[in-house]
Amino acid sequence: MSELIICEKPKVAEKVAKALSDSAVKNSYKRVPYYEIVQENGQKITVLSAVGHLFSLKAKNKKNKRFFDVEWVPLHETDKSKKYIKNYIDVIKKFSKDADRFIHACDYDTEGTLIGYNALKYICGEKSIENAFRMKFSALTKKDLLQAYDDAYPLKDDTSWADSGEARHILDFLFGVNISKAMTESVQHVTNRYVQLSAGRVQTPTLAILNEREKEIQQFVPEPYWMIKAKIEKGIVADHKKGKIFDKKEVDKILDNCKGKDAVVTKITTRKSKKALPVPFELGTLQSEAYAQFGFTPRKTQQIAQNLYVEGYTSYPRTSSQKLPDNLGLPGILKDLAKNPKYKDKIESLKEPLKPNEGKKTDEAHPAIHPTGTLPKDISADYQKIYDLITYRFISLFGQEAELESIKVELEIGEEPFTFSRQRISKEGWLALDPYQYKKVKNEEFPDITEGQTTKAKVKSEEKETKPPARYNQASIIRELEKRGLGTKSTRANIVSILYTRKYVEGNKITVNKLGESIIDTLEKYSERITSEQMTREFEEDLSEIKDKKITESEVIGNAKNELNGILDSIDDNQDNIGRELFGAYEQSRIVGECECGGNLIIISSPRGGKFVGCSKYPDCKNTYSLPAGANVLKTKCEKCGLPLISYGKPRQRACLDFECANGGQKSSNDVVGKCPDCGSDLIKRMGRFGEFIGCTGFPKCRFTSSIADFEKNNQNSE
């Protein structure tokens, strides 16, 4: 007997192999690692892996106007940067030939199920599914993996998750490719110019939500109002009970009533309250908390959490659950965590019975995010932050309720009512177990004050303006998508990231630029259904119902094609208007500055790949400026020549768009690397057409330059 185990990533394959046998032998074929185990009964087990998705969708016939017929093909055939994928496919093919039994050990979610299912179907052959079994695990500890291996169940008994995953990919392909193609062709039809534009089934409604907020902000008209405040003893500031006052005459009347009057304490109300225990992290709340605490983007948090899981330090992150079932061995996890001194005292302070507080949300596949008890070794500072965030939250779930005490003090100044309040922690409870949450709770000093007390008061008004709705940030838009039922816990962070990559949005406080705004405005005008979150939400529900076997994959795809035909028909009917409006916005989005000839400096894509900046009046003006790979053109201008600055490299540096600018791109004194041998001025690193070089700050009078390699070599020789 020969068994083949297919995992999702190489690191997981290593953990599975070592969990099954201490004598697992590591080999490689075509530079791809795999593991072999020979059991006492002579059975041979081969453990190997994919590297995420090995297959992608492709239109069967690209001559058709609409790409509705698709097929799965090896990923390296559609993405030339993924040539290494072929080796992984070849390894699975090689060892599948002699296998009698197959184990699908990819992540237990929709995407992981599809990855393994496609590997079996398209590499090992459809017959392999008849002899395939599914491992289900939420953590990569030896205990969890052995249990999952022993409990593996026949894959053919339930392929609904694979069907749902495939349907999602097909829907995203059909909508993304066809609508993007229709938009691009609209511009090409009107201008004879190729401008690549993109839309998506979830991407476009997400952009529409951001654009709606953008319009609310743009249309907002601020209204003046006044707050009346009284400063009394010990720096205490009390607010007038009316709060925001929009009538200046009323403000003047209140100030007049208070003039020269003392403050009298009329009532002190004390209240005690409980601070309930938190609930376990699921992916959305972990992303929000990491953004609030560390400023990490949701995508970064998701990547770190995924890698912590792969290393075996935490459980599977892409979960919606707020439950921690007893079979996880929670006391054992706490015992293992206590081996680290920074968790030890907190864990030893816990009181029996050790039962965690849980939330209401559940997940059919995985528990809430939690540490496994395996303590990390040699991880980066950012990884440690996420690990600590998860671990402190986990420990605090076993704590006691915290208690808060608050006072509300009411005062009168010339018969005008004022009030202030204070809050402090009276019993730390679980707050002592989670330093991140402790610092978020107000813990203020209570003033020594009594009812009937009179004190001097200084009353004044503060004029303010009403503010527009707050912009979304990356964490809050993901919460909004979850609330509206758009996307999945696994895809939302990537959807937001795509909007940045497409240059439709920018900034930490998300601003929709002119191109993003025009795409939504144009599509809403001529084909509103694609921007509608209602359609996207309906398909999300259909995809969930495939998993529940309430609807078939073919029914959902058929409905999607009908919906898409209507959208594409409306785009075709308004092709000229759509093309003109989108091209106008695209042209505006490319402008980065003004050329010395009076034309616009615009970003241009080179036919040979890459981008550069040129003048819109070409060929009359042939001014061009190179852009290093990955460079961004900034709104900040060079103080010397007035051209925009660029941001480039890792770590990010700034330089003038003109590599010959004497300013050297705003280099600081910290960037000085030596003295010029010709004129004695400072030498600095500068950006040229072909990368960085050493240049003299005395340019243009002194034109000394050197490659970085030659400069460093000469310095070593002189030493």
Side-chain angles (χ1 to χ4, degrees):
M1 289 287 290
S2 177
E3 182 175 87
L4 181 65
I5 301 178
I6 301 175
C7 303
E8 189 165 326
K9 297 283 178 67
K11 189 72 176 180
V12 180
E14 179 185 2
K15 287 189 171 294
V16 170
K18 290 181 178 180
L20 294 180
S21 174
D22 293 333
S23 59
V25 177
K26 182 180 180 180
N27 292 305
S28 68
Y29 176 71
K30 291 191 173 183
R31 292 178 294 180
V32 173
Y34 66 91
Y35 300 83
E36 290 185 312
I37 301 167
V38 179
Q39 296 184 318
E40 291 181 0
N41 60 5
Q43 180 181 356
K44 181 180 176 183
I45 301 174
T46 304
V47 186
L48 41 71
S49 81
V51 272
H53 283 285
L54 300 177
F55 293 85
S56 66
L57 289 168
K58 176 183 176 183
K60 284 185 179 180
N61 189 347
K62 290 197 172 182
K63 292 181 180 179
N64 293 340
K65 181 173 175 59
R66 295 178 182 178
F67 298 160
F68 277 14
D69 294 321
V70 298
E71 61 183 340
W72 289 103
V73 296
L75 182 57
H76 61 85
E77 292 183 13
T78 60
D79 185 345
K80 299 305 179 186
S81 69
K82 301 291 176 80
K83 291 181 180 179
Y84 63 91
I85 293 288
K86 184 178 186 304
N87 290 345
Y88 282 84
I89 292 175
D90 288 346
V91 171
I92 296 174
K93 185 180 293 183
K94 171 182 171 64
F95 289 101
S96 68
K97 291 175 182 177
D98 299 324
D100 305 299
R101 187 173 188 259
F102 299 85
I103 299 286
H104 180 328
C106 296
D107 285 349
Y108 196 79
D109 63 3
T110 307
E111 288 299 299
T113 300
L114 182 63
I115 289 168
Y117 189 85
N118 278 354
L120 290 167
K121 183 176 179 179
Y122 296 110
I123 303 174
C124 306
E126 290 202 37
K127 288 184 178 180
S128 66
I129 295 170
E130 293 294 316
N131 300 312
F133 293 79
R134 183 69 162 109
M135 282 175 64
K136 175 183 177 181
F137 48 85
S138 295
L140 294 173
T141 64
K142 183 172 183 176
K143 176 178 74 73
D144 286 279
L145 292 172
L146 285 174
Q147 188 68 51
Y149 181 78
D150 291 340
D151 295 342
Y153 60 88
L155 182 64
K156 64 182 179 181
D157 287 357
D158 185 5
T159 60
S160 61
W161 279 41
D163 293 340
S164 178
E166 181 173 61
R168 179 178 296 280
H169 276 259
I170 291 174
L171 260 61
D172 288 344
F173 182 92
L174 293 177
F175 278 87
V177 170
N178 283 289
I179 296 173
S180 300
K181 178 173 176 284
M183 290 163 57
T184 301
E185 287 176 348
S186 294
V187 172
Q188 201 165 17
H189 173 73
V190 173
T191 65
N192 204 29
R193 295 270 300 276
Y194 178 79
V195 175
Q196 188 172 9
L197 300 169
S198 91
R201 186 179 62 87
V202 185
Q203 171 193 322
T204 302
T206 301
L207 183 58
I209 293 170
L210 294 168
N211 192 55
E212 181 182 7
R213 177 60 55 88
E214 192 68 36
K215 288 190 181 302
E216 289 174 3
I217 293 170
Q218 291 172 0
Q219 295 167 5
F220 182 81
V221 179
E223 186 178 358
Y225 69 90
W226 289 262
M227 297 289 292
I228 299 179
K229 296 180 178 291
K231 188 174 182 180
I232 57 177
E233 64 175 14
K234 298 178 182 178
I236 295 171
V237 177
D239 294 305
H240 195 281
K241 277 192 172 183
K242 285 197 172 181
K244 294 179 181 178
I245 302 173
F246 291 88
D247 186 347
K248 184 65 169 65
K249 290 180 180 178
E250 186 176 1
V251 173
D252 293 338
K253 180 181 176 183
I254 292 171
L255 291 176
D256 190 54
N257 290 340
C258 296
K259 192 173 183 180
K261 304 294 195 321
D262 290 338
V264 180
V265 179
T266 58
K267 187 178 181 182
I268 299 176
T269 305
T270 303
R271 189 171 71 91
K272 291 188 176 182
S273 60
K274 303 280 189 182
K275 179 74 173 171
L277 275 78
V279 296
F281 277 133
E282 34 83 23
L283 182 58
T285 51
L286 176 63
Q287 288 171 322
S288 292
E289 192 65 23
Y291 186 88
Q293 295 288 348
F294 317 124
F296 289 178
T297 65
R299 190 180 186 191
K300 178 176 180 176
T301 299
Q302 186 168 321
Q303 288 172 336
I304 292 176
Q306 177 69 18
N307 289 336
L308 289 172
Y309 155 72
V310 169
E311 293 294 336
Y313 301 140
T314 58
S315 64
Y316 187 73
R318 295 195 289 274
T319 176
S320 299
S321 177
Q322 295 173 330
K323 304 290 186 183
L324 291 170
D326 293 337
N327 62 12
L328 294 175
L330 303 177
I333 293 175
L334 289 168
K335 183 179 178 181
D336 289 338
L337 291 173
K339 294 174 184 176
N340 186 321
K342 73 177 177 181
Y343 309 132
K344 182 178 179 181
D345 290 344
K346 297 179 185 298
I347 292 170
E348 288 181 346
S349 71
L350 299 176
K351 297 179 181 179
E352 298 284 354
L354 294 177
K355 184 167 180 61
N357 188 54
E358 296 180 310
K360 295 179 180 179
K361 294 169 71 174
T362 60
D363 188 303
E364 58 193 319
H366 298 283
I369 301 170
H370 63 277
T372 62
T374 301
L375 296 171
K377 297 177 182 177
D378 301 323
I379 60 174
S380 71
D382 285 351
Y383 277 58
Q384 189 67 52
K385 287 176 180 177
I386 296 297
Y387 181 80
D388 283 343
L389 198 63
I390 292 169
T391 301
Y392 283 129
R393 168 61 62 93
F394 176 74
I395 296 170
S396 70
L397 302 173
F398 298 87
Q400 305 294 312
E401 281 187 330
E403 293 180 3
L404 306 176
E405 187 178 2
S406 63
I407 60 166
K408 181 180 178 182
V409 180
E410 298 178 45
L411 311 99
E412 275 191 5
I413 305 173
E415 298 185 355
E416 293 290 344
F418 287 79
T419 183
F420 73 88
S421 60
R422 292 287 186 273
Q423 176 187 283
R424 66 187 176 195
I425 300 170
S426 55
K427 179 184 174 184
E428 289 183 332
W430 68 269
L431 288 172
L433 306 173
D434 190 339
Y436 294 110
Q437 295 306 304
Y438 188 96
K439 69 182 181 182
K440 290 168 68 174
V441 178
K442 285 183 181 179
N443 194 21
E444 303 166 306
E445 291 285 337
F446 279 17
D448 184 12
I449 199 166
T450 58
E451 287 186 8
Q453 183 177 338
T454 301
T455 181
K456 295 291 183 183
K458 186 176 181 180
V459 181
K460 64 177 183 178
S461 64
E462 294 181 359
E463 184 176 358
K464 299 185 177 184
E465 284 187 338
T466 53
K467 294 182 178 180
R471 295 187 186 280
Y472 289 105
N473 58 44
Q474 291 196 45
S476 62
I477 186 59
I478 284 177
R479 288 197 299 271
E480 189 68 20
L481 294 176
E482 182 179 10
K483 181 175 143 186
R484 300 193 189 201
L486 303 178
T488 68
K489 54 185 175 288
S490 303
T491 61
R492 293 181 187 114
N494 191 52
I495 289 162
V496 175
S497 179
I498 287 171
L499 294 177
Y500 281 94
T501 302
R502 302 296 187 200
K503 308 292 186 186
Y504 296 158
V505 302
E506 55 196 36
N508 291 327
K509 293 181 179 179
I510 302 175
T511 303
V512 181
N513 61 29
K514 288 295 182 185
L515 181 58
E517 186 179 333
S518 178
I519 284 174
I520 295 302
D521 290 349
T522 303
L523 290 176
E524 282 181 344
K525 190 188 301 183
Y526 301 110
S527 186
E528 186 177 8
R529 189 69 168 152
I530 182 55
T531 65
S532 163
E533 61 187 75
Q534 180 62 31
M535 182 193 72
T536 302
R537 186 162 46 246
E538 288 169 1
F539 279 120
E540 291 294 344
E541 292 167 359
D542 287 347
L543 291 168
S544 293
E545 290 190 347
I546 293 174
K547 290 165 70 174
D548 297 333
K549 301 178 183 177
K550 295 178 180 177
I551 191 172
T552 66
E553 178 185 354
S554 60
E555 287 178 284
V556 175
I557 294 172
N559 293 338
K561 289 178 179 179
N562 290 334
E563 188 77 59
L564 188 52
N565 267 323
I567 291 169
L568 295 174
D569 286 344
S570 63
I571 294 176
D572 289 346
D573 291 343
N574 297 280
Q575 190 177 54
D576 288 357
N577 290 333
I578 291 173
R580 274 191 293 270
E581 292 176 29
L582 290 179
F583 183 71
Y586 170 74
E587 287 290 276
Q588 284 293 314
S589 73
R590 292 197 300 158
I591 297 173
V592 296
E594 186 176 336
C595 183
E596 61 187 5
C597 74
N600 290 319
L601 291 176
I602 58 176
I603 297 175
I604 302 168
S605 295
S606 169
R608 296 183 297 276
K611 294 180 179 180
F612 65 95
V613 173
C615 182
S616 61
K617 290 191 174 181
Y618 178 86
D620 295 332
C621 176
K622 295 184 178 179
N623 280 340
T624 60
Y625 305 92
S626 61
L627 284 176
N632 293 323
V633 182
L634 307 175
K635 294 179 180 178
T636 312
K637 292 184 178 180
C638 175
E639 294 178 1
K640 185 77 175 179
C641 69
L643 286 171
L645 298 183
I646 62 170
S647 169
Y648 67 94
K650 289 185 179 181
R652 301 301 280 183
Q653 303 175 61
R654 289 190 172 193
C656 180
L657 180 63
D658 184 358
F659 77 97
E660 292 184 346
C661 177
N663 196 37
Q666 305 291 307
K667 293 290 183 181
S668 69
S669 58
N670 294 331
D671 297 307
V672 174
V673 295
K675 294 294 182 180
C676 176
D678 291 351
C679 72
S681 299
D682 289 335
L683 292 176
I684 58 174
K685 288 183 180 180
R686 293 169 61 183
M687 175 54 62
R689 293 182 188 275
F690 305 105
E692 282 190 312
F693 67 97
I694 303 297
C696 180
T697 55
F699 181 88
K701 290 183 179 179
C702 177
R703 293 181 175 268
F704 173 84
T705 61
S706 169
S707 71
I708 291 177
D710 287 346
F711 178 77
E712 291 175 346
K713 183 178 179 181
N714 290 335
N715 271 1
Q716 288 173 353
N717 291 337
S718 65
E719 290 171 2

